[in-house]
Amino acid sequence: MTFPTTRLRRFRATPALRALVRETTLEPGDLVAPLFVCPGEKIRRPIASMPGQAQLSIDEAVLEAKQLADLGVGGVILFGIPEKKDAVGSGGYAKDGIVPRALRAMRQSAPGLLLWADVCLCEYTDHGHCGVLTGERVDNDASLPLLARAAVAYAEAGADIVAPSDMMDGRVGAIRKALDAAGLAETPIVSYAAKYASAFYGPFREAAESAPQFGDRRGYQMDPSNGDEALREVALDLEEGADMVMVKPALPYLDIIHRVKERFGVPVAAYNVSGEYSMLKAAAERGWLDGERAALEALTSIRRAGADVIVTYHAKEIAPILGKKFP
Ligand code: PBG
């Protein structure tokens, strides 16, 4: 049927009609808020390149987590900034490291909130790479037991979900095995399966103080030109026991999110990364666009592409207006 029989504008006429045929939903519970936890007390150190975000000491991070829980946000994902860094990233898997301590504190005071722990060594190594080095190369197999130790330390401290973001081959299997051996067979793994070597991580590296001190991450993160390879990464992580797979970044990789969802039909997360957030904030600060509407549209597009869950710095500002905007 064509015009004038078919008029697609009929369902666009009023808020109620638009709501009736809306295909994609976005709810606070779909969002996971990243938190950067640092040593000290009563610290809220703003991150210049990420307006509205800050490094938080554990007491402050606990308050933040409670607020997010009250807003109905689905969870938080913790990144740690350790007291000191070393070549092997030992702060990342110490049982009393910054993230386990934060997890224990949050577990007590925000009992219902899902606590995700990012598993990677880059915040904890003095060279800033995501694994340990042999010469100047990140040594895949030598990194696996350390990542597995980190995952166990976080799960023991109360993490509901561990999320390896290091991109070493075989880490999901190594982590699954270690968790099971530690009696943590029920702890799910959300793997950053298709994680690209992206320029959009720039602000995060300021936030987490994790910029590589030499070279870059192209030796282990994916080439932005590749799509089929992302499906292979996802297939391998699922075989190794991943319970949910993540695509990262989100907006420049909506095609990948879509392909992963279509092909595998498993729970999919997408990470709306620091640079995606900062771009919108910078433009909004200049009055170049409506930051709130742009964020809603961006997050909705990530859901429409196929993501069940979105890790996003917008969580706190967007959660309260969900369901009220886009009339
Ligand atoms: C750690 C990690 C990174 C991000 C999440 N986990 C940075 C990186 O790989 O350099 C980036 C998140 C963001 O940009 O918001 N490996």
Side-chain angles (χ1 to χ4, degrees), residues 85-98:
K85 306 185 186 227
D86 59 29
V88 291
S90 48
Y93 39 88
K95 284 184 188 287
D96 61 347
I98 185 84

Side-chain angles (χ1 to χ4, degrees), residues 200-276:
F200 291 95
Y201 305 152
F204 173 95
R205 292 177 187 173
E206 180 202 331
E209 301 173 9
S210 66
Q213 298 304 299
F214 65 88
D216 55 42
R217 302 209 203 291
R218 281 179 251 214
Y220 40 103
Q221 297 179 349
M222 283 187 57
D223 183 335
S225 308
N226 296 353
D228 293 344
E229 189 190 344
L231 302 184
R232 296 184 70 196
E233 282 284 5
V234 167
L236 286 169
D237 282 9
L238 291 172
E239 265 170 45
E240 289 176 32
D243 300 283
M244 181 185 288
V245 288
M246 180 135 67
V247 175
K248 178 182 173 193
L251 293 174
Y253 299 89
L254 292 178
D255 58 323
I256 307 299
I257 296 171
H258 188 70
R259 289 176 71 184
V260 168
K261 191 62 174 180
E262 294 263 293
R263 171 77 69 93
F264 298 98
V266 297
V268 174
Y271 201 135
N272 176 230
V273 302
S274 57
E276 298 174 57

Side-chain angles (χ1 to χ4, degrees), residues 84-113:
K84 57 180 178 43
K85 306 185 186 227
D86 59 29
V88 291
S90 48
Y93 39 88
K95 284 184 188 287
D96 61 347
I98 185 84
V99 165
R101 280 185 279 134
L103 286 165
R104 283 188 207 102
M106 281 177 193
R107 187 73 301 157
Q108 289 215 320
S109 42
L113 187 69

